[in-house]
Amino acid sequence: MWYQAVLVSLIAILPMNGGGKAASTESQEISLFLNQVFQDRTQFLVHGKPDILDNYYNISEKSSRIARQHELNRHRYLSAWASKRNIKFTDSKSEVRIVRQKVTKNTANVVLVHREKLEYYYLNKILQPQTFGLGTRHIVTLVQTDNNKWHILREWYLDPLDENPQLIANHEHQFPEIGEEHSLRDEADHLTTGTSSKIKYDRIKAVQYANKYAGLAWGAGNNNRYNPKYRDYTGIGGDCTNFVSQVLGDPEEGGGLPMSGRWFASLAGGSAAWVRTDGLKNYLLYSGYARLVDSGVFDHIMKPKEGHPQGSIRDLQPGDLIAYELKKGDVDHFAVIVGFDDNGYPLVNCHTTDRFRVPFDLGWDKHTRYLLLHVR
């Protein structure tokens, strides 16, 4: 994606801020400003009070108006999705880490990463609050006005909530009740890999790997870093398939599916079947590592039908996969099922953008086709 290429280029070009006491003071001022911006935006995302954003944008500048409108749009999408799912968002947390910044006179160019934690509960169930995490990479240009205040002139980021609120699929089918034995947060505690020598896939380790290396998303392990053993494809097409392949095939921490001459990776990079969406889908199906449980739009995989009395989505287990098609026959994204919330909603982890225990359809519209893959 063009955004990812631009982001990687800017990270390489922009130096760490330096140059003595004045630069340090300015750097701290920008850091404080951006932390407050993202904290307030995350609160707005949940509570929807747009006045909180007004001090951070200059509506006389077109690019600033566009940046502000994007935040309004993502709130509208999340609120509409929550309404369709009978959910209410109640709280949020924000954390910013500045990667690079360059200040020239009254302009600052900043590359940063942002972690968000969102909390929700079900309106029709008595359940504990549920949480999930997101992680995004941002390129922000700030301008200082005559009164020495900073505002956002422009911003780019790959937003997992950048969807049309009018195109959210309806949710007419309930998930089956989750029994006491499956209500814990880490379903890996209840998974078994079997004792037969023919069983090669370790679901427990696969889910643990997906949680440890979910990257920037709030809640992920490894200090929010990817596994350094593998090349990061974020800036060259996206890292989602590379991550899922790691979950399946890392021999030490992951699911341990044996690599092959067609499906392999190292620090230098991965094969086409390892890093490309359609390449991985085809390899898993033709190798016998996985089988296609079902495919279709949201309503199709949710509704009970012959062979899937609880809906085909509930035939998946933690460690299984979902491939997302925006155009039939062309996989756009991969994610791994890591468990279910306390109401039975399937949760996924993925890269590009980084998600940790996120409802599987959040950020996708009613036209998205889901390919449900059970790893054997």
Side-chain angles (χ1 to χ4, degrees), residues 335-363:
V336 56
I337 295 276
V338 292
F340 308 90
D341 75 6
D342 289 346
N343 195 40
Y345 214 112
L347 307 174
V348 298
N349 288 11
C350 65
H351 285 183
T352 319
T353 55
D354 298 349
R355 294 170 169 90
F356 180 82
R357 296 183 64 84
V358 174
F360 78 95
D361 67 301
L362 181 66

Side-chain angles (χ1 to χ4, degrees), residues 125-137:
K125 298 286 181 70
I126 302 176
L127 297 170
Q128 294 295 316
Q130 315 292 305
T131 61
F132 63 82
L134 302 173
T136 47
R137 298 164 176 83

Side-chain angles (χ1 to χ4, degrees), residues 303-317:
K303 67 183 179 183
K305 49 187 173 291
E306 185 177 357
H308 308 288
Q310 296 180 332
S312 53
I313 186 68
R314 282 310 310 271
D315 292 347
L316 296 186
Q317 304 172 38

